[in-house]
Amino acid sequence: MSEAQIKSLEEEFEARIARNEKIEPKDWMPEKYRKTHIRQMSQHAHSEIVGMLPEGNWITRAPSLRRKVALLAKVQDEAGHGLYLYSATETLGVSRDELFEQLHTGKAKYSSIFNYPTVTWADMGAIGWLVDGAAIINQVPLCGASYGPYARAMVRVCKEESFHQRQGYELILTLAKGTPEQKEMAQDALNRFWWPALMMFGPRDDDSPNTEQSMKWKLKRKTNDELRQQFIDQTVPQAELIGLTIPDPDLKWNEDKGGYDSGKINWDEFWQVVKGHGPCNKKRMNTRVAAWENGQWVRDAAIAHREKQEQRKMNKTA
Amino acid sequence: MKKEWPLWEVFVRSKNGLEHRHFGSLHAADADMALVNARDVYTRRSEGVSIWVVESKHIKASNPEHNGELFEPAQDKVYRHPTFYDLPDEIKHM
């Protein structure tokens, strides 16, 4: 194809998106659109898969059967969300094995929040309430993404996500209303997860060079800072209601903007964790790679079984 | 050995009376496993009463680049639609 032809295809493509048309897997698309989507969608899938690890830590130690079935169901949903998103990503012409390879070698990223440890049971509450709460704010706009398979996967994910946040909030509210020790535990979890949760929305708009392109492609509908503000405004009253304190001395209601002003985020910490130097980066990846490698014989055995069955069928008809 | 499990497309009937609809895809070693996996991945909240799985490689899909030849001929055949025909106003239900 000549450059002029590609240019006119690109213009037609941008116009389709501007008209709110969806792009489907076999449609022509610019290479950059394909690559950017593979990157973002797989990063999203990886986050769901790695996101199971900090919670898996607590399943066997849940304090009641009610809490245990809820946590199990939530972790199973996360596996499901990872699978929806991986198969949506594969429609762009990349294989599941390639995606895993990118995760396991560190070439692909996942949400940094999962590189923080879960040291007490209250962390299960903080994760559901804050981490899933932030995820919902990030994800709801993506139900309108221009790439059809991604938008469809997100609709399914969002439907299931609200139970995650509600079970987390219920858990932490129960602790906050419990003994002084339990309340302290809830406050401590909030203290540790508040700032990393704010970082989940990504760097400040000034430091986010891809935002403009992503907005055009509807891979993003609001900027990082707008989403972060929405999360703060929504979460502060939820903390107050259960008697917990947001660990930010600069947090103050601003009547003029109709939202909260908040303190400075430690961006050095953010970039440290992104670059692999967070408290649990190595541990998470080791656990993930071990699970994949130790499962190899199962995957091989299943294929061998299939081949044997097919052979048997052929012998019968022969 | 390192062979990737093949890809399957999953179709779910959400309740009797409705058709099976494409829900998504997944990997599985064989058809039985694809069914079991489809149940876990796509019907955790009673989304269905029946599941079909078919290996993705068996689906032949039309090419959107040929949409012109394929679908445009239908556009100038307005006589296939009821509104093409002129009837007297007195006829209310036809």
Side-chain angles (χ1 to χ4, degrees):
Chain A
M1 247 186 291
S2 75
E3 246 171 69
Q5 272 172 312
I6 292 185
K7 188 136 192 356
S8 96
L9 277 173
E10 277 176 2
E11 276 166 14
E12 171 51 24
F13 180 84
E14 301 290 346
R16 285 182 65 192
I17 294 181
R19 286 195 299 269
N20 267 328
E21 278 180 38
K22 297 287 178 190
I23 307 302
E24 294 295 343
K26 290 170 76 89
D27 293 346
W28 184 87
M29 60 186 80
E31 197 47 27
K32 194 168 168 227
Y33 180 92
R34 199 178 73 86
K35 287 224 170 92
T36 306
H37 276 74
I38 291 179
R39 199 184 60 227
Q40 179 170 327
M41 290 164 67
S42 65
Q43 193 173 318
H44 197 158
H46 298 326
S47 301
E48 298 281 356
I49 296 303
V50 178
M52 292 192 280
L53 302 176
E55 294 178 311
N57 185 29
W58 283 94
I59 290 174
T60 55
R61 288 176 282 166
S64 69
L65 187 57
R66 185 175 187 274
R67 295 285 177 217
K68 188 172 182 164
V69 291
L71 188 57
L72 259 175
K74 177 177 193 285
V75 171
Q76 197 191 5
D77 274 354
E78 274 144 17
H81 297 175
L83 293 174
Y84 307 153
L85 288 160
Y86 279 129
S87 51
T89 313
E90 286 173 80
T91 62
L92 289 161
V94 60
S95 76
R96 182 77 56 100
D97 279 2
E98 281 173 87
L99 294 172
F100 283 159
E101 177 79 14
Q102 290 170 359
L103 171 66
H104 297 162
T105 55
K107 196 179 157 226
K109 301 270 179 244
Y110 55 88
S111 181
S112 280
I113 192 81
F114 303 118
N115 289 318
Y116 289 86
T118 46
V119 293
T120 74
W121 170 249
D123 292 1
M124 296 304 97
I127 287 184
W129 173 34
L130 304 172
V131 176
D132 289 275
I136 291 172
I137 289 182
N138 265 328
Q139 288 167 351
V140 167
L142 292 173
C143 297
S146 66
Y147 188 55
Y150 192 31
R152 291 192 287 274
M154 290 318 304
V155 169
R156 209 181 292 279
V157 169
C158 287
K159 258 191 214 159
E160 298 180 352
E161 201 82 50
S162 92
F163 128 63
H164 297 183
Q165 195 189 13
R166 289 174 65 114
Q167 69 85 32
Y169 189 63
E170 189 204 73
L171 196 167
I172 209 146
L173 123 93
T174 308
L175 289 172
K177 295 202 150 93
T179 64
E181 289 82 5
Q182 286 172 322
K183 181 167 184 186
E184 200 185 311
M185 209 162 110
Q187 181 64 51
D188 167 65
L190 172 57
N191 292 350
R192 281 179 292 107
F193 276 94
W194 175 253
W195 293 102
L198 294 189
M199 295 177 199
M200 284 177 68
F201 297 95
R204 289 178 313 166
D205 293 350
D206 298 342
D207 302 323
S208 178
N210 298 325
T211 293
E212 201 192 325
Q213 178 69 80
S214 296
M215 297 274 261
K216 239 194 225 159
W217 286 340
K218 299 176 182 169
L219 247 184
K220 229 182 208 179
R221 314 300 298 258
K222 286 184 183 173
T223 71
N224 296 351
D225 289 336
E226 285 168 349
L227 293 168
R228 190 163 16 241
Q229 183 69 47
Q230 187 183 335
F231 174 76
I232 294 171
D233 294 343
Q234 169 186 309
T235 310
V236 172
Q238 295 167 353
E240 283 169 356
L241 186 70
I242 56 176
L244 296 181
T245 311
I246 303 282
D248 178 358
D250 298 322
L251 191 79
K252 209 172 64 213
W253 177 253
N254 179 334
E255 194 63 52
D256 293 335
K257 77 170 181 187
Y260 286 89
D261 289 332
S262 50
K264 220 171 152 318
I265 292 172
N266 181 351
W267 291 111
D268 288 340
E269 176 184 324
F270 173 78
W271 291 113
Q272 281 293 314
V273 185
V274 169
K275 287 180 183 139
H277 310 299
C280 298
N281 294 56
K282 285 211 179 73
K283 188 173 174 216
R284 298 288 183 245
M285 240 350 82
N286 289 343
T287 311
R288 169 63 205 158
V289 171
W292 177 247
E293 286 175 353
N294 296 338
Q296 183 67 48
W297 71 271
V298 180
R299 294 192 296 279
D300 290 347
I303 286 282
H305 175 72
R306 175 193 180 140
E307 285 169 352
K308 212 166 151 187
Q309 294 296 109
E310 278 172 355
Q311 195 56 48
R312 214 171 266 169
K313 226 187 261 169
M314 274 201 324
N315 291 346
K316 252 187 211 160
T317 48
Chain B
M1 195 156 65
K2 294 240 170 196
K3 257 194 219 166
E4 200 176 351
W5 285 354
L7 191 66
W8 301 73
E9 300 302 321
V10 178
F11 299 83
V12 176
R13 184 202 296 289
S14 31
K15 60 178 189 185
N16 275 9
L18 295 178
E19 64 278 74
H20 286 76
R21 195 166 61 81
H22 186 236
F23 261 45
S25 45
L26 50 77
H27 288 269
D30 58 36
D32 289 326
M33 189 195 277
L35 263 186
V36 174
N37 288 359
R39 168 200 175 264
D40 287 347
V41 178
Y42 291 105
T43 62
R44 284 194 302 283
R45 289 178 176 77
S46 337
E47 288 91 339
V49 295
S50 164
I51 304 174
W52 290 345
V53 291
V54 58
E55 226 182 302
S56 311
K57 66 175 185 196
H58 295 309
I59 292 185
K60 173 74 181 167
S62 67
N63 182 343
E65 278 167 38
H66 301 153
N67 275 7
E69 302 93 288
L70 211 53
F71 301 113
E72 268 166 29
Q75 280 174 14
D76 56 13
K77 296 184 176 57
V78 281
Y79 47 84
R80 284 189 172 149
H81 299 278
T83 46
F84 177 74
Y85 299 94
D86 294 323
L87 297 186
D89 290 344
E90 290 76 19
I91 303 293
K92 293 287 185 225
H93 306 288
M94 187 182 281

